[in-house]
Amino acid sequence: MSVTSRYREAWEAFWREAPREQGAVFWDAEPALTAGRHLALFEPHLTDPGLPVVDLGCGNGTQTRYLADRFRHVLGVDLSVAAVEHARYADPAGQAGYRALDAAEKSETEALHAELGDANVYMRGVLHQCEPDDRQPLVDGIATLVGTRGRVFLVELAEAAGAVLRSLAQGPAGPPAKLAPVFRHGIAPGEVADAAVPDHLRAAGLTVLASGELPLATTESGPDGARVELPSKWLVAGREG
């Protein structure tokens, strides 16, 4: 199964329009507030830190470059070719590799696993952006990449984040400047039930090894001037035995 052409084109249009500077996109928060916090939760569960790391849904590569400072082989992948171009532009030294990948397409994740072997996967806020029918195939693709030795760290917006986003979007002035393009391109965050995320992992043959809650930082400020943080749930999963 592959993602719909409408969904793919929505992301291409979003990233073609997005400014290239770091922090210009709603979710492009600095790594100290995102991947840095996540690694502290992820690393204790890695059975083999020497495995390649795949940053799935890498966008413009801000978190990928942070991961590349800490792991030997890091690859950022994204559905959008335009996003991959942003990531390469921001990484002229080539700290990490980047390529377009439809992770909901079985043949593509199988080919990448054949190339890399088992990998540790980092995915932040991708599942809730998917079309509902693509969510299980995406998690199945993650299970393919993880193989028998890898682990996945997955963080997704909690159900409670929906109320925060609706409040921002319905303010007197409309959505904030960095959130407006998300809605304009038809990729507004969808709501995924909190219980659905571990269910998707289990259906893919993965065992949830750890989970918790952590605010997900954005680059936008609310009416009070404070940074907008969205309620999120994180999970670490892999195959046991």
Side-chain angles (χ1 to χ4, degrees):
M1 179 178 182
S2 180
V3 297
T4 65
S5 59
R6 184 213 64 79
Y7 179 67
R8 186 190 301 271
E9 181 51 38
W11 277 109
E12 291 294 353
F14 174 86
W15 281 111
R16 284 196 298 265
E17 179 185 295
R20 283 188 163 178
E21 63 267 21
Q22 185 175 323
V25 172
F26 181 70
W27 52 78
D28 192 29
E30 53 268 42
L33 300 177
T34 46
R37 291 178 176 176
H38 299 152
L39 270 188
L41 302 167
F42 190 25
E43 286 185 304
H45 298 281
L46 298 180
T47 57
D48 187 349
L51 293 178
V53 174
V54 176
D55 180 12
L56 203 164
C58 69
N60 61 0
T62 298
Q63 314 307 320
T64 320
R65 294 187 294 279
Y66 177 87
L67 295 170
D69 282 337
R70 287 148 183 83
F71 297 96
R72 178 178 55 85
H73 183 188
V74 177
L75 177 67
V77 300
D78 201 281
L79 175 67
S80 166
V81 173
V84 171
E85 291 172 353
H86 274 263
R88 288 175 177 153
Y89 174 84
D91 188 8
Q95 288 178 272
Y98 307 93
R99 70 178 67 170
L101 180 84
D102 178 354
E105 175 55 55
K106 183 178 180 181
S107 63
E108 294 195 30
T109 52
E110 287 179 339
L112 184 57
H113 182 260
E115 176 187 338
L116 298 179
D118 291 354
N120 294 314
V121 176
Y122 174 71
M123 190 174 85
R124 177 177 64 107
V126 173
L127 199 62
H128 76 273
Q129 292 281 12
C130 291
E131 301 282 2
D133 287 347
D134 290 328
R135 289 171 187 160
Q136 189 60 53
L138 171 62
V139 179
D140 291 344
I142 291 171
T144 297
L145 295 174
V146 164
T148 59
R149 296 183 296 148
R151 296 286 186 261
V152 55
F153 183 90
L154 187 156
V155 59
E156 288 296 333
L157 297 186
E159 290 179 50
V164 179
L165 289 167
R166 286 191 294 272
S167 176
L168 287 171
Q170 295 168 4
K178 294 178 184 178
L179 184 57
V182 179
F183 290 101
R184 186 169 64 252
H185 288 289
I187 50 177
E191 294 189 11
V192 179
D194 294 342
V197 180
D199 285 347
H200 283 306
L201 290 165
R202 285 189 284 267
L206 300 177
T207 298
V208 175
L209 305 171
S211 61
E213 300 180 4
L214 188 70
L216 190 61
T218 76
T219 60
E220 192 57 89
S221 298
D224 60 357
R227 181 190 294 269
V228 173
E229 294 189 325
L230 301 173
S232 73
K233 305 271 188 179
W234 62 268
L235 303 95
V236 177
R239 287 191 172 86
E240 290 188 320

